[in-house]
Amino acid sequence: MTVLRGELTIRQSRALIRTFKQMKDFIIENQYFIGSKELVQIAIQTNKNTNDIAKINDKISTLATKEDLKKAI
């Protein structure tokens, strides 16, 4: 995401950084209360989030490519 320039990319990058920081802080603050079942749920959700982010990146790349083509024409 940081390779691309644009308002959508900047907002997405900032949101992603905030989300990961919140997740990290939550896990650190509650590490003694989190059992193996919860860790599995966190891992599943993290995997889903990673897939969602990949889809967003693909869309952003496609949009960037279209913009590059428009500029070239």
Side-chain angles (χ1 to χ4, degrees):
M1 285 186 298
T2 57
V3 172
L4 301 175
R5 304 283 186 238
E7 187 60 34
L8 177 62
T9 306
I10 292 168
R11 286 195 323 251
Q12 183 63 33
S13 293
R14 289 177 180 164
L16 182 62
I17 290 167
R18 278 193 305 272
T19 300
F20 280 119
K21 182 174 179 345
Q22 289 171 348
M23 287 172 45
K24 183 189 87 165
D25 292 345
F26 178 81
I27 292 170
I28 289 171
E29 290 172 8
N30 297 290
Q31 63 184 330
Y32 300 109
F33 301 110
I34 298 175
S36 60
K37 181 179 177 182
E38 289 81 9
L39 287 175
V40 169
Q41 289 175 335
I42 290 171
I44 290 169
Q45 186 62 48
T46 300
N47 188 42
K48 182 184 178 309
N49 293 346
T50 301
N51 290 335
D52 291 344
I53 291 167
K55 289 176 187 176
I56 292 168
N57 283 340
D58 289 343
K59 288 180 183 179
I60 290 171
S61 296
T62 300
L63 290 173
T65 302
K66 287 180 182 177
E67 289 299 318
D68 291 340
L69 288 174
K70 286 179 186 177
K71 288 178 186 176
I73 294 175

